[in-house]
Amino acid sequence: LTKHATSFDRRDVIQALTETLPAGAQVTSQQLEATATQLLSHDDAIPLLAPTSASGERRWSTRELLAAERLALAISAERTAIPSMAPATVAAGTESRDLSAEQCATVTWRLTAPARVDVVTGPAGSGKTASLRAAADAWRDNGVPVIGCSLAAITARRLEAATGVPCASITRTLADLDRTDPATDRPSGLAPHSVVLVDEAAMVGTRH
């Protein structure tokens, strides 16, 4: 129910139940309704505080997904461990680039912001990628490892071509980070104080 959505209503539950049934199964609507009621009363089904759908019906989420959201919010509130660069140093590094004043301000914020998670938003063609490339170059010049990822492999390749940062799909990136390091017999993980660029992050599921 939460594979592609963050919440669901009773109709979603009934639809999901019918999709699990084998063809020709003899099931009545009363049985489906009773099973839906049983599922929605389970400890792992968490009712949301107020109806959020256009129909006004109550929606639910799951204990596991809400825990993942709380963890993501807690991480985003933490301070980064990457040393902040002086604004004057950043400005000097962007002087030779063909960047607008807004792009320069974006680069400066990226390199001096204290947040562990930061978001860059803007319409297509607004110069997000150019400012990311400038920021990535500055990070790497200061010894900070930078990698990138995107939901699709083809988008990751475009991000790599545009920023010069090694990129892969999110699935491939997570698999690489989980691969056992023979030297430590532990998952490889990220290098200390790494920066990870996530392209089109709004399309990425909470768990990823």
Side-chain angles (χ1 to χ4, degrees):
L1 285 166
T2 59
K3 185 175 182 180
H4 301 294
T6 57
S7 66
F8 51 89
D9 60 17
R10 186 179 183 86
R11 291 176 299 176
D12 296 325
V13 173
I14 292 175
Q15 179 178 341
L17 288 170
T18 59
E19 290 173 353
T20 66
L21 297 172
Q26 299 299 309
V27 178
T28 66
S29 59
Q30 289 82 3
Q31 288 174 316
L32 283 173
E33 291 284 358
T35 305
T37 298
Q38 184 180 13
L39 188 148
L40 291 173
S41 63
H42 193 279
D43 287 344
D44 286 334
I46 308 298
L48 302 181
L49 291 176
T52 55
S53 64
S55 64
E57 293 186 11
R58 179 169 290 282
R59 298 187 69 81
W60 282 259
S61 189
T62 64
R63 189 176 301 279
E64 174 267 337
L65 182 58
L66 291 175
E69 291 177 347
R70 282 194 295 270
L71 176 61
L73 289 171
I75 291 172
S76 69
E78 295 177 356
R79 292 181 65 86
T80 180
I82 298 171
S84 177
M85 300 181 196
T89 302
V90 177
T94 57
E95 284 180 354
S96 61
R97 295 176 180 268
D98 186 20
L99 299 176
S100 67
E102 186 178 28
Q103 288 172 316
C104 288
T106 300
V107 174
T108 301
W109 175 253
R110 295 290 81 73
L111 300 176
T112 60
R116 185 172 176 183
V117 176
D118 208 354
V119 181
V120 181
T121 61
S126 60
K128 298 186 299 296
T129 304
S131 62
L132 278 176
R133 182 178 189 114
D137 288 346
W139 275 316
R140 290 183 295 188
D141 288 345
N142 283 270
V144 176
V146 185
I147 66 170
C149 57
S150 186
L151 206 55
I154 187 170
T155 315
R157 287 195 292 271
R158 291 175 187 156
L159 180 64
E160 180 170 342
T163 62
V165 172
C167 300
S169 70
I170 289 178
T171 300
R172 172 65 182 273
T173 300
L174 291 174
D176 288 345
L177 297 179
D178 284 339
R179 186 173 290 114
T180 300
D181 183 345
T184 63
D185 201 31
R186 292 181 175 182
S188 299
L190 290 168
H193 300 167
S194 292
V195 169
V196 181
L197 307 180
V198 184
D199 192 29
E200 297 181 341
M203 299 178 64
V204 181
T206 300
R207 296 176 181 88
H208 274 159

